[in-house]
Amino acid sequence: MSSRLIYGFHAITAKLRQDPESLKEILVDADRQDARARELLKHAELQGVKLIFADSKRLDDLAGGGRHQGVVARIEGARKLAHLDDVLDTLEEPAFLLVLDGVTDPRNLGACLRVADAAGVHAVIAPKDKAAGLNDVAVKTACGAAETVPYVMVTNLARTLRELKEREIWVVGTAGEADKDLYAAEWPQATAWVMGAEGEGMRRLTRETCDQLVSIPMHGSVESLNVSVAAGVCLFEARRRRS
């Protein structure tokens, strides 16, 4: 059976909890002695997963420049879509999610995954219909982020957003006509940021389900941004405030 690599504490911890049998081995930076590393090692030992201590250069080479945080795992089998409840139930901090409504270009999906990884997003959510799948084009564009950021496809996006709200996750939609812009608006730490397709924006029911709408202030002649650029602007402002 073929194998592939995943890296980062969140991705590997989630895999340990959801599908430990698929893990062939975990390589850990020998210099990491912190509580997070100890907890992962303990969990891996309980699951009987092979542990290998490695230096940072080997981990850098394996991750191909990705942000591995000192831990890389080799897993068996093809890439699988994540389940939202599994992602949320493993979080140790307020949820930070990206929701894509109507993004059908796999290159845009890959770019959004890359932005989400860089901003520390816990998962990217999209509807199963009228949405790009996690194909080879998206994975290549994501530059490794497809392995580190869970991609969740749901049957009914509006219902999923309502379920997030029941978990006290604030749903923030982006719209050019919103009353407040990104820098004037306030929101709690636990958030799901909703981006619509370039040009069309969010669908009506998605928009109506949001707790809040914000706009990105535009100072030039163009009226909108590519979805991955817009996601980057919003997610990094949210990350700045979380810090």
Side-chain angles (χ1 to χ4, degrees):
M1 182 178 291
S2 61
S3 65
R4 56 194 176 88
L5 298 174
I6 61 173
Y7 47 86
F9 277 96
H10 179 71
I12 294 174
T13 299
K15 182 63 70 173
L16 271 170
R17 293 176 177 174
Q18 299 163 21
D19 188 20
E21 293 81 9
S22 68
L23 284 158
K24 298 178 69 174
E25 60 190 21
I26 299 176
L27 293 89
V28 183
D29 189 333
D31 293 331
R32 285 211 62 152
Q33 304 289 333
D34 56 280
R36 197 175 191 187
R38 291 197 301 270
E39 182 64 24
L40 185 140
L41 292 174
K42 178 181 177 182
H43 199 169
E45 289 173 349
L46 288 174
Q47 295 291 352
V49 178
K50 181 181 179 181
L51 292 169
I52 299 173
F53 291 96
D55 58 36
S56 58
K57 183 181 184 306
R58 183 180 181 189
L59 297 175
D60 290 341
D61 291 342
L62 287 171
R67 183 168 168 263
H68 56 73
Q69 301 173 301
V71 58
V72 175
R74 193 181 307 276
I75 62 176
E76 292 180 337
R79 186 179 293 104
K80 297 178 181 179
L81 294 176
H83 296 283
L84 185 56
D85 285 339
D86 290 338
V87 172
L88 296 177
D89 289 344
T90 63
L91 295 182
E92 299 176 354
E93 60 181 347
F96 188 25
L97 308 170
L98 173 61
V99 181
L100 303 176
D101 184 24
V103 175
T104 57
D105 187 331
R107 292 177 179 82
N108 279 339
L109 169 60
C112 285
L113 286 167
R114 189 173 181 181
V115 167
D117 176 82
V121 165
H122 297 128
V124 174
I125 303 168
K128 290 182 178 179
D129 63 316
K130 297 181 180 179
L134 200 57
N135 61 21
D136 290 342
V137 174
V139 170
K140 182 177 180 181
T141 307
C143 297
E147 300 291 357
T148 59
V149 181
Y151 185 52
V152 180
M153 299 194 79
V154 298
T155 303
N156 188 312
L157 185 59
R159 182 173 64 207
T160 298
L161 294 179
R162 289 192 293 269
E163 291 171 354
L164 293 178
K165 293 163 72 169
E166 290 174 359
R167 284 180 174 258
E168 299 184 352
I169 299 171
W170 194 255
V171 179
V172 185
T174 52
E177 70 279 8
D179 293 334
K180 288 189 176 182
D181 69 39
L182 175 68
Y183 304 107
E186 298 290 338
W187 56 80
Q189 281 209 346
T191 50
W193 288 84
V194 187
M195 305 286 159
E198 186 176 356
E200 299 179 5
M202 294 178 291
R203 291 177 292 182
R204 179 187 59 80
L205 190 55
T206 303
R207 180 190 301 263
E208 292 175 354
T209 310
C210 292
D211 292 303
Q212 179 179 2
L213 296 177
V214 301
S215 64
I216 298 175
M218 306 292 290
H219 301 288
S221 59
V222 298
E223 296 181 355
S224 64
L225 297 171
N226 174 274
V227 63
S228 64
V229 176
V233 172
C234 294
L235 295 177
F236 275 94
E237 173 61 14
R239 169 55 63 188
R240 183 187 69 83
R241 297 194 192 188
R242 287 170 71 94
S243 300

